[in-house]
Amino acid sequence: MKLDRRTFIELGVGFSAGAGAGFMLTPVNWKLIDDMSIWSQELWPRYQLGGLEGRLPQRGKVTHADSVCNLCPGGCGITVRKVADRVTKIEGREEYPINNGGICPLGAAGLQFLYGPWRAPSPLKRVGKRGSGHFEQITWDEAINEVVQKLGDLRRKGQSHTVACILGSDRGTVPQLFDRFLKAYGSPNFIRTASAEDTYELTLGLMQGDTASVGYDLERANFILSFGSGLIEGWGSPVRGIKAHSIWRSGDSKERATVVQIEPRLSNTAAKADNWYPINPGTEAALALGLAHVIVKESLYDSNFIRNHTFGFKDWSDASGKKYMGFKRLVLTKYASGAVSGITGLSATRIVELARAFARAERPLAVWGRGKGTVSGSLYECMAVHALNALAGNINKPGGVSTRPEVATRAWPGVSQDATALKGSGKPRIDGAGTGRYPLTKYLPERWPQVINEEKAGTIQALLVHEADPYYTTLDSATVAKAFDRIPFVVSFSTYMDETAYHADLILPNHHYLERWEDLPTPVGLQKPILGLLKPVVSPQFDTRHAGDVIMTIAKALGRSVGDAFPWKDYETVLKETIGDKWDTLEEAGYIEDADYRPPAWEKAFGTPSGKFEFYITAFDQTGMKISKDLDYLPHYEPVHPEGNADTYPLILIPAELMRLANGAIGNPPFCTKSLEETELKRNDLFVEVNPKTAANYGLSEGHHAMLETPRGKAKVLVHLFEGIMPGLISIPKGLGHAAYDDYLAGKGVSANSLMGVVEDPITGLSATWGIRAKLTRA
């Protein structure tokens, strides 16, 4: 076997517990050393902003400091090596509860974000056309005064509700400060960027009565059934997923866990699974219910849990005697293996075999959330997968799934709202969440561009963005660009010159994550509460300020009606008072872990109206939702059709997410971009994966140029023939097509979001987009 760079990385990912660290260290030493030399000699002069003179660190004392990485939602502990006050290396922190010494490629490349040319060096004011990149440096006083003047004018005009904030998270003290600012100022428009959390929180709220985050006990499960989750490609906490995979592969054949991956494309997770079952995309809910059919028909479910702790499994009657269909009759009558085979493309025999293997496993676990979990997804699909966990009786059990609380901290005093704040906060949200058709949904992060472009009442007049890049990450790039042009005033708090900053009117740059204090709540998917602490391990390299301090300064400058909501001197005071008597422990250890946490027993676990796990969702009636048919109260398969006409667009484009390619609020650093295969990116040209049979039908060959077109856009691409994608489907990676950052990322490839539109879930209004119709023609 040829031991090339990719093979080595994949071996590290697939087979060793030390892969989290070893999988990074060796490829860097073997392959990237040449690139690092070139970078330090040729690129480093471009990194000399802010007085960073010299290409090599000066001589000095070598020290190490611990902190936490926030470049992705994983929240890994890191150890930073310094020479004097210069950071020279970032490694995974040993014995940190999440990653235990491992680090992913993005985390290891954090050094480039600290010293890179894409950092905003000081407050910047746009002086040219939006998107031109023409800014002038201004002082912090000038920048803050301009924000205060704009927001003050809107508030005096009774238009406080036309201000919105978009953040990458709603957990932690800094997001809470922005949320508190809007409450005191008088706006309901706090928006969190899209992720699978949007839908899973709703699922847990409806089926278990708890809207907390989901926790998967991956390490103790012995049969993992993944519905498209990129468990070793960045889902949840990336290094944790890799290490869990190595646990599943440890021991002899009897002790090893079984991993089954359900998705239409052969991802690395699928390649490392025991079984990969490619199914027609968008039919995951049907497969989950087909598996449930077999489990129920053959009585393979946990009878104790189903009989004593669930509601709606069997048919039932209300007080008036009206009868309702239960989950059991639904799956037995509508999701027989033959019917599900026709929907999914998976044989009936395999459906039966998979259902039996899952149900008979000692600790089975069904995992949901496509790719890295960056899309919201379908509610009924998530509910159908979660129903499998209920049938297995693994709710709140070792190796199972649970709702997970956060580490307890001190509550802040309530916000005293004046008349303007009360009136503004009482206005409908711009995204329509929480009211009307979608009373259950907290945020609708893909909807605001459409609302702005339709010029509906309450259109946004000012937008504040922190730890997010909605200009790049929101689906349907053309619609987003049009919406940004209609917003009179955009303020970015970004550390970097990302797409949103590039199209902002003002940039108030935040400290880099290695330059500031900040709490980092439990990562997605972790089964135990943990609170990490970002620490300033190096002094600020530029004229930046902590975003928490800046938003409080703005609030206080707006007058007592807003400023009184912020009684703290500075952000560090906020953080210490919030942590309370746990601060000394947090500061010393760098994290607080509730290692003894145990999910509640079934008798106390469910906060639903019935007090039980609900297959039949009674909460729908309590919210006043307009449910059109009885079937809608139960998890069922409701197709989410991809946008586009099949005659015009005969193919289906699906995005792929790669460990080596950041596709969220952070752009890919040069070291990671260099690790992309030449069948993914060649110079600036993006490859589209095409099954050889599909390519033959369209006269396409390996490496040939083609025109990729969808109802939302088109792009010139190169063809890569790939047996690992189903015929009729094509795929491109997410994370390329940037216009911002620098020459090592800007202009490379095509943004998948520029080719994808929004298809809304009928119940939640969230984006359920999983693909879009497309066509390929020879260029």
Side-chain angles (χ1 to χ4, degrees):
M1 180 179 70
K2 179 184 178 183
L3 189 62
D4 61 12
R5 173 165 47 92
R6 180 169 186 167
T7 303
F8 187 90
I9 289 176
E10 290 184 348
L11 283 172
V13 171
F15 298 117
S16 106
F23 132 84
M24 272 305 308
L25 294 178
T26 306
V28 168
N29 287 336
W30 285 7
K31 171 64 178 73
L32 294 185
I33 190 67
D34 290 339
D35 301 324
M36 292 168 70
S37 299
I38 294 170
W39 181 82
S40 63
Q41 296 175 41
E42 298 181 1
L43 179 61
W44 185 253
R46 299 176 56 193
Y47 284 59
Q48 294 180 3
L49 298 173
L52 303 181
E53 304 298 339
R55 297 180 180 180
L56 295 174
Q58 297 178 355
R59 293 182 179 274
K61 183 179 180 181
V62 176
T63 59
H64 294 82
D66 293 331
S67 187
V68 177
C69 177
N70 81 334
L71 293 177
C72 83
C76 291
I78 55 175
T79 296
V80 179
R81 181 183 186 272
K82 298 194 299 178
V83 176
D85 195 37
R86 169 83 64 171
V87 177
T88 60
K89 189 177 184 181
I90 300 174
E91 300 176 296
R93 181 182 171 186
E94 297 292 337
E95 299 184 359
Y96 195 77
I98 295 172
N99 57 311
N100 189 23
I103 193 166
C104 74
L106 182 64
L111 195 66
Q112 292 190 312
F113 290 103
L114 177 63
Y115 297 123
W118 48 74
R119 286 203 55 181
S122 71
L124 300 174
K125 181 177 180 179
R126 178 173 62 85
V127 293
K129 184 180 178 181
R130 280 248 178 103
S132 66
H134 295 155
F135 293 89
E136 65 177 2
Q137 294 191 4
I138 59 176
T139 67
W140 274 102
D141 286 345
E142 290 171 333
I144 289 173
N145 286 341
E146 183 155 347
V147 176
V148 170
Q149 181 179 344
K150 297 282 188 182
L151 298 188
D153 288 345
L154 289 172
R155 200 167 194 271
R156 284 187 290 272
K157 294 175 183 177
Q159 297 178 1
S160 63
H161 61 286
T162 65
V163 174
C165 288
I166 298 180
L167 278 78
S169 174
D170 60 357
R171 298 184 299 132
T173 51
V174 174
Q176 289 169 15
L177 284 173
F178 277 83
D179 187 38
R180 188 177 182 88
F181 173 80
L182 288 185
K183 286 185 174 69
Y185 178 79
S187 174
N189 294 313
F190 181 98
I191 301 171
R192 182 182 70 186
T193 54
S195 73
E197 283 188 273
D198 300 327
T199 298
Y200 224 129
E201 287 173 0
L202 284 170
T203 295
L204 294 174
L206 293 170
M207 302 185 87
Q208 296 187 206
D210 189 348
T211 56
S213 296
V214 66
Y216 287 127
D217 192 356
L218 297 174
E219 292 78 4
R220 291 190 286 180
N222 71 346
F223 192 106
I224 298 87
L225 178 57
S226 166
F227 285 80
S229 300
L231 297 176
I232 61 173
E233 286 155 309
W235 184 94
S237 183
V239 177
R240 182 207 175 199
I242 294 171
K243 287 181 172 290
H245 191 276
S246 67
I247 293 173
W248 302 332
R249 288 290 171 263
S250 64
D252 59 32
S253 58
K254 292 183 179 180
E255 295 176 344
R256 286 175 50 158
T258 298
V259 182
V260 178
Q261 185 74 1
I262 309 293
E263 62 177 316
R265 175 185 173 273
L266 185 66
S267 64
N268 277 345
T269 301
K272 301 302 178 185
D274 294 276
N275 292 293
W276 167 49
Y277 291 138
I279 66 171
N280 296 325
T283 64
E284 289 81 0
L287 178 59
L289 295 166
L291 300 176
H293 168 93
V294 177
I295 293 170
V296 172
K297 181 180 179 180
E298 299 184 5
S299 298
L300 299 175
Y301 53 84
D302 187 313
S303 59
N304 174 36
F305 180 72
I306 295 300
R307 181 175 60 253
N308 298 313
H309 303 287
T310 68
F311 174 80
F313 179 72
K314 294 183 177 180
D315 291 1
W316 61 284
S317 302
D318 62 17
S320 67
K322 183 180 178 181
K323 295 182 178 181
Y324 298 89
M325 177 171 60
F327 183 74
K328 179 179 180 179
R329 179 155 65 97
L330 170 70
V331 297
L332 289 179
T333 58
K334 293 185 178 295
Y335 295 100
S337 302
V340 171
S341 176
I343 296 170
T344 64
L346 190 65
S347 72
T349 299
R350 285 190 170 179
I351 292 172
V352 172
E353 290 174 348
L354 179 57
R356 289 171 178 169
F358 177 81
R360 290 169 177 167
E362 183 182 358
R363 297 182 302 279
L365 175 63
V367 181
W368 180 86
R370 278 187 178 82
K372 295 180 181 179
T374 57
V375 295
S376 300
S378 160
L379 176 65
Y380 286 129
E381 179 183 295
C382 184
M383 290 171 62
V385 173
H386 196 54
L388 290 175
N389 289 316
L391 292 175
N394 72 1
I395 307 295
N396 291 2
K397 294 293 184 180
V401 61
S402 62
T403 57
R404 186 214 63 235
E406 298 292 352
V407 172
T409 56
R410 287 180 178 175
W412 293 351
V415 175
S416 179
Q417 294 179 300
D418 63 9
T420 301
L422 284 169
K423 183 178 180 180
S425 297
K427 296 282 188 178
R429 291 173 54 89
I430 186 171
D431 58 6
T435 58
R437 290 176 57 193
Y438 309 112
L440 294 171
T441 310
K442 195 172 182 181
Y443 312 109
L444 288 170
E446 306 283 359
R447 175 173 280 198
W448 60 268
Q450 175 187 347
V451 175
I452 291 174
N453 290 333
E454 291 175 353
E455 299 186 272
K456 294 182 178 179
T459 297
I460 295 301
Q461 297 296 311
L463 176 64
L464 312 182
V465 181
H466 173 64
E467 293 288 291
D469 188 6
Y471 194 97
Y472 177 79
T473 62
T474 308
L475 290 171
D476 192 359
S477 301
T479 298
V480 174
K482 183 179 178 182
F484 259 78
D485 285 342
R486 291 175 178 266
I487 302 174
F489 188 57
V490 178
V491 180
S492 169
F493 291 78
S494 178
T495 306
Y496 318 104
M497 293 299 297
D498 56 32
E499 263 79 4
T500 300
Y502 210 65
H503 291 83
D505 297 283
L506 281 179
I507 303 173
L508 309 182
N510 193 17
H511 290 324
H512 185 273
Y513 70 94
L514 295 178
E515 301 169 341
R516 70 179 190 260
W517 294 102
E518 191 172 338
D519 57 320
L520 197 66
T522 315
V524 175
L526 202 67
Q527 71 273 32
K528 291 185 178 181
I530 183 171
L531 183 69
L533 181 65
L534 276 68
K535 296 181 180 180
V537 301
V538 66
S539 58
Q541 305 297 297
F542 300 95
D543 184 17
T544 58
R545 289 188 184 179
H546 198 295
D549 286 322
V550 175
I551 196 65
M552 288 196 292
T553 301
I554 292 170
K556 292 173 182 178
L558 283 168
R560 291 190 58 184
S561 55
V562 180
D564 284 354
F566 299 89
W568 305 281
K569 175 186 176 183
D570 53 27
Y571 173 74
E572 192 171 339
T573 303
V574 173
L575 184 59
K576 290 180 178 180
E577 289 188 7
T578 303
I579 304 304
D581 57 9
K582 301 185 182 77
W583 172 253
D584 290 341
T585 300
L586 179 62
E587 184 179 22
E588 180 178 353
Y591 66 92
I592 301 171
E593 180 187 24
D594 191 349
D596 297 325
Y597 171 76
R598 298 291 183 274
W602 288 338
E603 291 78 8
K604 300 179 180 180
F606 307 115
T608 58
S610 66
K612 299 180 178 182
F613 181 96
E614 292 196 351
F615 288 101
Y616 188 100
I617 308 302
T618 59
F620 280 157
D621 287 335
Q622 296 189 353
T623 61
M625 290 186 66
K626 305 294 183 182
I627 301 298
S628 59
K629 51 186 183 295
D630 289 343
L631 185 66
D632 288 345
Y633 288 91
L634 296 161
H636 64 280
Y637 171 57
E638 188 162 312
V640 178
H641 298 290
E643 182 183 2
N645 181 279
D647 293 331
T648 305
Y649 302 101
L651 303 175
I652 293 178
L653 171 67
I654 58 174
E657 295 185 285
L658 312 176
M659 170 69 86
R660 294 163 286 117
L661 187 53
N663 63 292
I666 295 294
N668 216 45
F671 288 172
C672 291
T673 303
K674 285 293 294 182
S675 73
L676 293 176
E677 291 294 325
E678 290 186 354
T679 53
E680 294 164 341
L681 181 70
K682 187 174 183 179
R683 298 184 182 89
N684 290 341
D685 291 333
L686 178 72
F687 279 87
V688 59
E689 294 176 340
V690 187
N691 186 280
K693 294 180 180 179
T694 304
N697 292 336
Y698 292 92
L700 300 171
S701 303
E702 177 69 30
H704 282 188
H705 279 99
M707 186 60 67
L708 170 59
E709 185 174 352
T710 75
R712 294 290 167 175
K714 60 183 179 180
K716 191 176 182 180
V717 295
L718 293 172
V719 172
H720 173 50
L721 302 184
F722 183 46
E723 295 276 5
I725 191 167
M726 296 175 67
L729 304 181
I730 56 177
S731 179
I732 61 173
K734 295 179 69 174
L736 293 170
H738 281 274
Y741 292 94
D742 69 355
D743 294 343
Y744 287 79
L745 184 59
K748 292 188 178 295
V750 178
S751 170
N753 291 332
S754 69
L755 301 173
M756 309 283 288
V758 177
V759 179
E760 291 188 349
D761 183 277
I763 299 297
T764 66
L766 292 164
S767 174
T769 301
W770 52 263
I772 190 169
R773 291 209 160 270
K775 64 180 180 181
L776 269 179
T777 55
R778 297 185 66 174

